[in-house]
Every structure is written in C-alpha cells, then in structure tokens.
Amino acid sequence: ACSSKEGSKEEKEPEAELIVSTWGFSEDFFRENVYAPFEKEHNVKIVLDTGNNADRLNKVRQGNSDVDVIFLSDYYAQQGVAEDLFEKIDSSKISNLDKIYDVAKAPLGEGFGPAYTIAQFGIAYNADEVKQPITTWKDLWNKDLANKITIPSITSTTGPMFLDAASKISGSKEFNEDQAFAEMKKIMPNVVKEYGQTSEFVNMFSQGEIVAGPIMGMYFASLQEAVPNAKFVTPAEGGYAVMNTVNVVKGSDQKELAQSFINFMLSTEVQEKSAKAKIDSPVNTEVVLTEEEATNMTYGEELVNSLITLDMKFVNEKSKTWIDRWNRELVQ
Amino acid sequence: MSLFTLENIAVSYNKQHVLKDFNLEIEKGKLVSLLGPSGCGKTTTLRLIAGFLQSDEGKFLFQEKDYTKVPVNKRNFGFVFQNYALFPHLTIFDNVAFGLKLRKVGKAEIEKRVMNVLDIVNLQGFEKRYPKELSGGQKQRVAIARALVIEPDLLLFDEPLSNLDANLRESMRVEIRRIQQELGITTVYVSHDQEECFSISDQVAIMNKGVIEQLSDPATIYKYPSTKFVADFIGFKNFIDFDTVAEREGQIELKKGDYTFVIQKDGEMKNISGKTGAIRPDNLQIRAKSAADPLPPNGLFGQVNVTTFLGRSYQYVVETAIGNFVVNQEMAQPLSMGQEVILEFPKDEMVLVD
Amino acid sequence: MSLFTLENIAVSYNKQHVLKDFNLEIEKGKLVSLLGPSGCGKTTTLRLIAGFLQSDEGKFLFQEKDYTKVPVNKRNFGFVFQNYALFPHLTIFDNVAFGLKLRKVGKAEIEKRVMNVLDIVNLQGFEKRYPKELSGGQKQRVAIARALVIEPDLLLFDEPLSNLDANLRESMRVEIRRIQQELGITTVYVSHDQEECFSISDQVAIMNKGVIEQLSDPATIYKYPSTKFVADFIGFKNFIDFDTVAEREGQIELKKGDYTFVIQKDGEMKNISGKTGAIRPDNLQIRAKSAADPLPPNGLFGQVNVTTFLGRSYQYVVETAIGNFVVNQEMAQPLSMGQEVILEFPKDEMVLVD
Amino acid sequence: MSKKYIYLLLLPGVLFLTIFMLVPIFMTMGTTFFREDGFTVEGYLQFFKDPYFMGILFTTLRVSVITTIISIFLGFPVAYFVSKMGPRKKAFLLLLTIFPLLTSPVVRSFSWMIIIGKNGVLNNILTGIGLIEEPLSILYTPTAIIIGLVHLFLPLIIITLVGVMENIEPDLLTAAESLGASKLGVFAKVVVPLCVPGLVIGSILVFVGSFTAYTTPALLGGKQRVISTFLYQNAITLNDWQVASIVAVIMIVVTVLVISLMNVLAKKLNPRG
Amino acid sequence: MQEKSRGLALFTFLVFLFLLGPLLIISITSFEGGNILKFPPEEFSFRWYENIFKVKMFFITFKTSIFVSLAGNLLALLLGIPAAYALSRYDFRGKNVLNLIFVSPILIPGIVLGFALLRYVVVAYEFSIYTSLFIGHTIIMLPFVVRVISSSLSNFDFSIEEAAQSLGLSKVGAFFKVVLPNIKSGIIAAVMIAFLESFNNVDISVFMTGPGVSTLPIQMLTYVENYFDPTIAAISVLLMIITAIFMFMVERLMGLSYFTKR
Ligand SMILES: Nc1ncnc2c1ncn2[C@@H]1O[C@H](COP(=O)(O)OP(=O)(O)OP(=O)(O)O)[C@@H](O)[C@H]1O
Ligand SMILES: Nc1ncnc2c1ncn2[C@@H]1O[C@H](COP(=O)(O)OP(=O)(O)OP(=O)(O)O)[C@@H](O)[C@H]1O
Ligand SMILES: [Mg+2]
Ligand SMILES: [Mg+2]
C-alpha cells in the first residue's frame, strides 16, 4: 500500500505500511504479540482494516482499500480466489508451511493462502434442559426439541456445513441437495430462529430461548459461563472444520513483506501464544498444549484429521441456489 | 333578570393583578360595551368569560349556573379575536363553517348560513381563499362571520371592527346590532371607538386598571361621567379644579381663584359632590375678542396657542389665566395663532366629577 | 421636489390585479395618508414601497434613484405592520433596540433612545416583558416605537393606531406628527380613521380598487370630494342624482323631478361638471314640521324612519319623496319615529361630484 | 422575491446530492435496465412474477405500515403533551426522547428479549399475576419486529412533531374551542391539520426506516424474512449487485408510492400544506 | 379539561415507560460482573466500563464518529437550511421534484447507496477515507435537516422576517437573527436527529471506512461479532451519560430552555 494515504494516522513516519484486513477481535493480543514484533523486525507499520468477512471482501473487490494481507474464513476466501483477487503465494518464502497440518496448507487450492487456524463446528446444548445428552447431528431433529434450537443461517460461514450435515442425516453418502433440504424441512419446527451472528446464539442460549444448537467450539467458553451445565460435543457423524485463511491481495505493493507476515503468523511462537491465550487454535504441529490449555481448542492431529472439510469451491458455486431454496422452502 | 354575573373576579399574570374585585352583571339580550384605555383588562375580561382563562378568585354565573369551571367548548359562546385567529389551513368557507360542522348542521343548511353571513360581512366570492390571501380588514370580517354564524348564547367581541374603514365599520356595526337584537344574543363588546360603543350598546362599562369605574346606559355616561377618569376618557378634555362648590337656587356656584362659574343643576345630574368641573372641547364656545369686549358670565379671556384642522372643525388650544383649554369649533375661517379670544362655558354643558 | 415617485405600478396576486396603473408622488418631509375601503390595496402599496413585494410593472423612484430593485434592508424605511410583527423571542427592549443595534449605535445611546421612545408610546416599565405578555394595544405601540426609533428616511404606517383607545390614539398621533415633522421624515400613513388621517396629513389619497381617486390636502378633500366614491367614503352619505344642472348668477341650479335646489358656487369649488349632489348628514338641517309649514327653499318634507344615538348627536334616517336621507343633529330632545319633518340642504354645504 | 434567488438557495444542496448521490445511484441502477441487447425490464418482471418475493415485499410493507401507524398514534399525543410543557420540562422530555437512539441495536434487541422473551419480564409478570398460564410467544414474531421498530422510530416522530406544534398560534386552539370543539375536536380539527407537514415527514422517516431496517428484524424477528434481508443476502453475501440494485429500485418505487399516498392523505387533512 | 389532560399525562407517561424501560434494563445489565449479558445480573461490577477504556479502538472510533457526524452535520445544515427555507417559504416550479430529491437519500436503501458511493465516487475520484465518510454522512443527514426544519417552518409567521428587514437586516441577517431563533427547537430537533442517524449509521459507513479508520457503530458491530460481554451495553450507557452531562452543561451555561421556544 502506498504510504501517502491521508487516512493513516502517522503522517511523518518514513517506513512502509502493511495494511492488514482482519476481523478485529483480540486486537490487543495481536498488537502486542504479532504486529509489534513484526513491525520491529521489518521496520514497517501495520495498519488494520477491521470488519466482518463480507464487508472487507467487498471493499477489496472495489479496489479501494489498498489492503496487502487479508484474513478471511475459507468460505469468503474461496470467493476471492474465484474472482482472482489474490496473489499466488511463493511457498518457498513461507518456511513455516512445513510445520502445519496438511489440511491447512492450501485449503483454497494450490498457491493460495494457508489456514492459520482451524475451528471446530459442533453442537452445544444445555444439559439441564435436554432429556437425553445430545451426541449426534441427528439428535437435533428430535421432536423433544420443538422450538428449542437455533441453526446457523445459510449465509453465515457455517450454514453450508449444517446443510451438509443434513445431507448426511438423510443417509446419502455424497452430498445430496434435495435430500438435505428435505431433512432441513423436518428440523424447522425445532428452530426458533436462525442465527447470523454468534452473539445471537449466546444470548438466546443464556436467556433460555434455546437449549441447543450447532456452534463453533471456540465460542463454547462463553456459553459455559452463562449456563454452567452446557456441553459441547463433536457429533458422532463428525464435526466440521472451519478454516481461517490468510492471503495476499492482488496489486499489493508489499508482496514480500506480506508473505513474511503470513510466515510469521504460522510460526510456532505466534501459534503457541495465541493458543495459550485461547484465541486461535493452532495449526502448527510443533505447538504443545497441556490438557488445561487445550480445553475448547481444536487441538491434536487426531481431532483435526477427523474433522470434515467442505469443498469451498463447490459451496461457492452452489450458494446462490442454496440461499434461494433455503428462503423459499424453509423459512416461509 | 341578569343572564350572567361576574362576582369578585381576580385575575393575575405572573402575580400581577390584571383584574381585581371585578363585578359585572348583564341582562339577557343586552349588548354591553367595555371601554377603557389600552391594557386596562378588556381582553382579559372577555377571555375570562369565554373560559380561556381561569380566575384566581371569584365566580362566573351564567343563567344562574356556576360556569366558572365549565370547559370552553361547552359554553357555546362566540368569540371574535383581536388578532382574528383564523385557521390558516381552512378556506374562508371552512373557517366560517367550522362551528356549524361541529354542531352537526346539515350540509345544505351550512352552505346557506355560511353564504348568508359572508354576505352580511361583504365577502361574497371569497369563500375559496385562504386566510393569508386576505387583507387585514377582510380577515377581521371573517372572524366576525365565524362567530355570528353559530348563533351562540353569548357573543364576545374583541375590537371586531378596528381594521375597517368608517363606512364598513358603520354598516357592520348596524348588522351586528341587528343580528344581536333579532336573535336576542347577549353580547359583550370591546372597542376603543367611543362612537361605536355608544351607538351600539345598551350599556357601557368604562374600565380603568382592571375595575369598572362606571356602568350606565350610553346617554348617561356621555352626559354625566361620574369620575374624572371617565370624563377624561370620553372626551371631557377640559378640567377645572374648583376651590369652592356651593349650591344656590337650583344652580351650583363654583369658584376658582377670582373666577366664578355657574352650573345648571338638572334632575338627572348624578354627581354634585365632585369638586372638579369638566367640559368637552366641542361644548366650549370660542370667539375672537375685540378690544372692548367685557368678560361674559362663565367666561374667560385667553389666547390661541395651537390650531389643528380636524375635518369637520378646527381645534384650538387656548391659554388662560387658570390653565389651557381645548376647544373644537366649526367655523369658516380659522382663528390664527396668538389671537385674543373669549371662552365661554355654557352652564348646562359643564358637569362635576369626583 | 418629490422625494419619491411610484410610476405606473401594477401588482397582482394569482393573476388578479390588486394595483394597476398606480401613480403616487410624495414630497420630502410630507405625511401622506392612504384612505380607502378594506381590501382596496393600501397594505399592498405600503409593502411595495417597503420592498417586500416586487411590482409586475412600473417603477419606484426614491431621491431620484431607481429603487425598484433595491433590497429591503438597503432602503432604511421604517414599517409599522398591521399585525405588529413583533419578534417573539425578544423582550420589548430588544424589539425596539433591534434596528439601533444593527446601526451600531453605542450601548448607552441605545438605552437612551429606546427608553425615550418607550416613554413616548407610554410603555415605560414594560422593557423586560415579551410580546406575548402584552395587550393588543400595547403590542401595537411597541411596533410604532420600533419603527420610530431608527429615524428612517421614510416611515410607513399600516393602521398603526387601530387598537388604541381614543385618547391614546390622539396623543400618539400628535407624537407621530411631532417626530415626523421634527426630523422631517417623509411618511406614508394608512388608516381607516378619517379624523386621524385628516388631522395628521399634509396630503390625503383616497384609494378605490387599487387606484387613487383623489389626492389633495385634507381640507380640500374634506370639502370638495371630486367623485361620488370619494364623497361617499368621507361621509357624504346623501346623494341626489339630478336631472338637470344649470349655472346661473354665480349659483348652480339643479333639478330633480319637481324639486329645485341651488348650490353656491365658490372659488375653490373644483367640480361643477358633476350631476350628482352630495351632502353630509351633519350638514343637513332637520326640524319638526308643524302642519302649516310651507316647503322652504332647498327643502324637502319627510318622515323620520330610524333614530340612533351617537353620543354627541342623534342620527335620523328620513324618508322623502326623492329618497331616504341620513341626518345627524345635536338636539336636547330626540325626534321620534314617524315624526313629520322638514329637511333643508344649506346651499353652501352641498357639492357636485362625478 | 425573484425566482432566481430561490433557486440559488437550493442550488448548493441539489448540486451536492446530484454529484455524490444521484449520479452514482443512477449509474448503479442503470445497469439493471440494460443487457447486451439493450433496454429491458426483464429483471424486474421476474421479481414481480415471483410469489416468494412478493410475499416478503408485502410482509415488509405490512410491518412498516403498522409500525408507522402505531408510532403516529403513540407519538402524536405525546408530542402534543410535551409541546404544552414549560420550556424546561419540554427540553428535559425531549432529552429523554432521544436517549433510546443512543443505544446500539444489538443491546436494544437484547433488552427486548429480556422483556418479551419466553422467560422475560413481561411473561413473568403476566403469569405471576395469573393473567395467563402459558408464556406468550411474542419474541421472534412479526409483533416483536414491530415493537422493536416502534421503539426505534418513535423518538423521531415525537421530536419532529414537537417542533411543528410549537409554532401553532395558541389562539387558534382557543378559537376552535370557543366554536364548540372539544379538546379532542381541537386536536383533530386544528392541531392535526396544522401538524400535517411534520406528520408527513415524521411518517416518512418511520416508514422508510422500518421498510429498510435490517438489524432489528434480523435480531427480533424469527424465521421471518423482510425485504432488506433479501437485499443483504444478494449484495453482501452473494455480491450480486445487479439483483441488489433491482431490489433497491423496487424498494424505492414502493416507498415513493407510499409517500405519494401519504401526501394525498395529507392534502385532505390540510389542503393548504 | 383537567380530566382530559390527566389522561394525556398518563398516556405520555406510559409511552415514556415504553421508550425508557429497555434502557433501564440495558443499564442494569451493563453492571454485570460476568462475561455474558445477563438479566438480572449476578454480580455487580464496573469491569465492562473499564474494558471500554482498555480497547483503544472504541475511543479512536468514537472520536472519528463524533468528528464525522459533527462535520457532516455542519455541512448538511449549510446546504440544508437554505433549501428548507426556500422549500417552505416559497411556491415555485419544480418544488415537488426538489422535495423528492432532498428526501431521496433516506429512500434509497443504505447499502446500495453506500455501494454506489464507494464504486462511483470514492474509488473513481480516489477520495481519502475521511473525505468519503464525511460526504457519505452529509448525504445521510441532509434529508433529516431539510425536512425537519421545513416542517417546523410550515406554521411560521414570516411577517417578523419582513419586520427585521425593514429595520435594516439583510435577508440573510433576518434569517439568522429572527427566523432561526424562533424555530430553534426545530433546528435542534433536526440537528439531533441527523446527528444520531449519522452517529448510528452502519450501512454506508461500512463502505466508507478503511485501514485504520472506522466508526464507533462499526467497531461495536465488529465487537459483538466476536465477544458477548456487556461492553456494548456499557458503551450505550456511557453515551447516555455523556449526553446527559452535555445537556447539564448546556443547562448551566444557558438554561435547558435554550433548546425550546419560549
Ligand atoms: N396573498 C394574497 N393572495 C391573494 N390575494 C391577496 C393576497 N394578499 C392580499 N390580497 C388581496 O388583495 C387586495 C388588497 O389587499 P390589501 O392588503 O392591500 O388591502 P388593504 O387595503 O390593506 O385592506 P385592509 O384595510 O382590509 O387592510 C385584497 O382584496 C386582498 O384580498
Ligand atoms: N400573558 C401575559 N403576561 C403578563 N401580562 C399580561 C399578559 N397578557 C396581558 N397582560 C397584561 O395585562 C393587562 C391587561 O391586558 P388586556 O389584554 O386585557 O388589555 P386590553 O384592555 O385588552 O388592552 P388593549 O386595548 O390594548 O387590547 C395589560 O397591561 C397586559 O400588559
Ligand atoms: Mg385587548
Ligand atoms: Mg391592510
């Protein structure tokens, strides 16, 4: 990014700027443990553009934001790839790639950004309020849960995953759209409403509006605080992997630096710190956590490998149809 | 029998009394005028009667019922506002029809009555206009029409003709009087125009600083004001504070310094206790003095100070040994400044006031 | 030399002409009154002069400069509004001081001048109040004070005294006249009160439907109206449309049916071409007719139809062979309804009009 | 006053809006009328033929109209009351009125969840005093959306109306009363018509606000879809600005229609305005 | 009369209860000690208030928001007041169209407006982030300013404006000295509504913000996407307190009634 933009705060500092587009959570942690050391080492200033996936991606699309590095969930990152918004990465420049799980290396396709963390999409429930412990996706279909659960909206990152789960419930091995929707139709009586933001899930859960629902594991700690007897399970059919990726935006004038930044994100040092701070589950295999430290984290090769990954390319191609069907068939 | 009574009313704004110990009684079907200087409380009295204002003390009886707390809209009184208060969002027709519609009068009837009253106030053809498209006098007439058309139990007029020219004012006041008498609507009328008040009223109340100084039929007030204030207010511009007052042979003899005056005492004359003589400029006689003229009885020598043309007559201010006097007299050739004159005080035109 | 001139002015609202071919010329230092019936265009004329209104046609010259397009605030004219237009958010003091502050007058000077003018309009002690805390007449006086205090080049008064009682009105008009003359401020004055207009003005313009019918000094208009409209407007209530008019021996002989009238022809008399005779109610002579009375010259027999008390005098409507006549006469005992009377038309009081 | 001068007053604003709003908007929307083969309204026709789309359009319309009507009915008397207060009390009440606007939509909807939720304050009270047995389910229904929207937009209408009511000359109200109008009559026949300009703009603010609202329906509504959900899905999630623009144009047209209707009604109430 | 206005007073009270009740709940939850919004709160604490000051972005974006809203408000007033005046004072050709133009920014769904602005103005002319935010917010505020002010001018008696002119004020001067003071509460209402609309705006701001620059509502939105604690409630309460303090200062300086008509 050119450093002469008025928008950036420091006018006089001569050093280059690296513009990083990210969600904006735990900013203090990142500032201290990631940005600051990186700035120091490379004599660069990191400027953040924060916001949700869609908004940030949209700004990159319009070519306005001069972003160099962008953090996106795999679903949105795939859109960026499809629209040719990202630079190919020179994997030789990212030495830490070797240290991470294979699934995380190039989830969007060869040459595109790696996932720097993997989260698990499973089920949380309130053990006080459900008759039998929930262990499978299928359990959410139980009539006992009428009007007591929430599911992710199809437009959110995890929406397609739940749709996939529905397809699995139907017994189909391959993803079967029609059967999935048929199953979805059956679960709707149980659904109070869909949630678009995790905060909604948390609020509904803590206010007793719902007793169960699919959610990403990283948020479970919050639920547990509100409802001490809350449980998080990896459903028997398998949890889903939600991968957050880092990419270099096309037209970046700091490509080298951007790659160094990605490399730094994958470094054992950063990965370990952020895991211990319970911010992001590590993808770096060198990171070792105690059991205590691993609670609510997606940790361990075994677990990671057991997670189902969706073909985001396929999801992207289909999302318009799915959204449309979802609107028409499920919520009307 | 009196239709309504104001008893010991007191009204104040910001703790300052505007009306105090105010009493007024009006008989059914009568038209009573309130006359008084600007700010004396005329509008306040009307607003009180209309119910826009609550009195601090006192009682308002209407048809023997206590009306003090009856809400405005239950009173069925017509009010013509000093500042018109026309509804800007309604046409002239709708302004006038407003009260009728509320009374659920039929459409055809409304049409008829509104057109009729607009005719009376000389505003045929203005029905479709909005108030802001009228001249001041036209607005005022709409305000009158709006109050008349509902044929209320009591009509309250606050300077309803102030913005009309003499002719219109005269014809309007005749109309108001006619309607008022025909329908027997009791009316309280505020105007600063004395001729208007005197010609239209059954009774005139002269107000001063929130109290009524005199309440009588017009002719009595006109001829026999009872206080100096009233006299002054209705045009007795000349006053002489006498040193002594004595009754003698059906006449009253008055002395001021070296001068002696005589006043005819007639039957109706109410006030003979006062020590101040009052006379109107119109009633003073003035004529040029030739060198040899002696001082006539009830006369004074003087000198013309100021001359003003009034249309009908000329007005002079004459300087005399016991003060300045104002005289109006019709004459072909005006007297000139500095002219020596003789003033005469006709003995049946001077009155005594408190 | 004329200070300002209105030349062929035309003004219209919604395509209807309110003023048309309007011409007016006023000399420096003079006070000119506009008199005319409600809705004839007086306010419109003033607004035009003030610059609130643009004329469709015509020119306005002031001190020989074309003022037609000069913005209001560059004109330095004082305007007293018919509806007062006081600033509701300012105290009386600030309302009056408004113009002075704009003229960057010093604080002490403002204080002095405002207090002085408030004194003139009799509102000492009201400085701290807000307009809504005043009576109608008080507001009107503030409006006058506000216009006077800036000592403008031209003063425009729109019915400035309409809501004041007779005494105040008189003293105010004397003050206005005094200030106007002392400072030599040219003034255009609109009022519906004829006495006021006549007493205060150097010239009077009688308007009718947007044109000036007659412009003269007050005495001339008062005595010699040139048209029927003007005559009627200024109080010649009685008209006789003569069949023939003939001049004979310095007199004019007029015929109406069987009746013959004679009018004195004097030097000033401007209009001898008219065929309509006009006379004021005040100038008609009335007396009771005894059975044997012959018809006097310039006389008519009649019968009293209506009697009204006017304060000073009584008013009668008399029915005669050639129409009804209105007579005002002072008399101790009023004539009664139905009374047979003799009317006399003094030959020097009747005028001929177009 | 010369006409030129009037246009001069309007010019800066119009220029600003033209450059920064009208032109970009027309460029965005222009694309919805043109395909390779020239002008077309095909895109629009599809929407009007689609019962699903029409369904949510009408749902949204209904919710917005109801919200507007409720806001007027709640706001008008309150504005009247407030405008009659002394200056200090009036200022204080106006201050209280704007307070809700200072809270984020998320927290605000959370507070409504607490009030009208299954275990909410309202249900607790009602079941507590035995008025109902089963908790009312208001949350996640169109009713909840309406409550939320009214709460959101009521202040706008109150503040606007107070500003208008203050300039009504008090004697007009007394005049109406003296002609026989009850307090209610004065209100309906004089106050309301004179407030029409404020009422119109207030209603427009509320209606448009409700019609385009996204967060409140998303948080308080259940599975209910409103039209802005649809717009967001297409614009933000699918990045399909073509469809988003079509939806936006339809929304604008509907709004303009509703506003025209309101103006017609307003003209009836106050023909002069 | 008394009866009726007592009814009206009760009605007003209930409406205010409706408006303010939820705020009370928000205020209470903001003192929750735990990590989750809860009602009633389990323990009392100020920690989320402290948290506001710990997260630097809140303060930075708050400043941006205030700045943008104020500056935009100023421009909107500058552009809007003359327009409002012309639209309500005069009759002229094209008035309806102009009226429509001036409300149009609220008729156009925010995201579409934001998108169009981003694509055809900001990117095309390479405006900086602050400039774009400023322009975008001015556009949002303009209709509120124009319409609210012109509706409060609708019952205005313009003869006092003429009076002022005849006393020597220019047209502009008369407007400022006489018209404005008498529609003060209309202006204040317009300013407040416009300010809050802009201050709360998300739709358009989302497109106008960029690296290093964001507004408070967007920051708050970002926050709630990732955290579920009562910080946002605390911010809302804080904003109310700031407003109240501001009003209190105004009251001290010039009386609260400064905001309303006599
Ligand atoms: N805004 C307007 N639209 C249409 N007609 C108007 C408007 N203003 C005034 N008029 C008409 O123009 C005529 C002249 O009005 P103007 O106010 O000048 O009368 P005026 O002589 O001052 O009358 P008054 O003595 O009653 O005040 C009237 O007939 C009036 O109805
Ligand atoms: N709202 C108010 N606050 C304070 N004083 C007031 C208020 N209204 C009227 N007054 C005062 O009360 C007195 C009586 O007012 P009122 O309007 O009754 O007078 P008025 O006799 O009608 O006078 P005018 O002939 O000038 O209309 C006046 O001195 C006036 O200043
Ligand atoms: Mg009065
Ligand atoms: Mg007039």
Side-chain angles (χ1 to χ4, degrees), chain E residues 113-128:
Chain E
L113 184 52
F115 170 75
L117 201 59
L118 173 65
R119 176 151 179 194
Y120 295 105
V121 176
V122 176
V123 175
Y125 300 112
E126 296 196 9
F127 280 154
S128 75

Side-chain angles (χ1 to χ4, degrees), chain B residues 95-111:
Chain B
N95 260 283
V96 177
F98 193 92
L100 294 177
K101 287 186 183 155
L102 286 171
R103 285 167 179 70
K104 307 260 181 289
V105 178
K107 213 166 166 169
E109 172 79 4
I110 289 184
E111 174 89 17

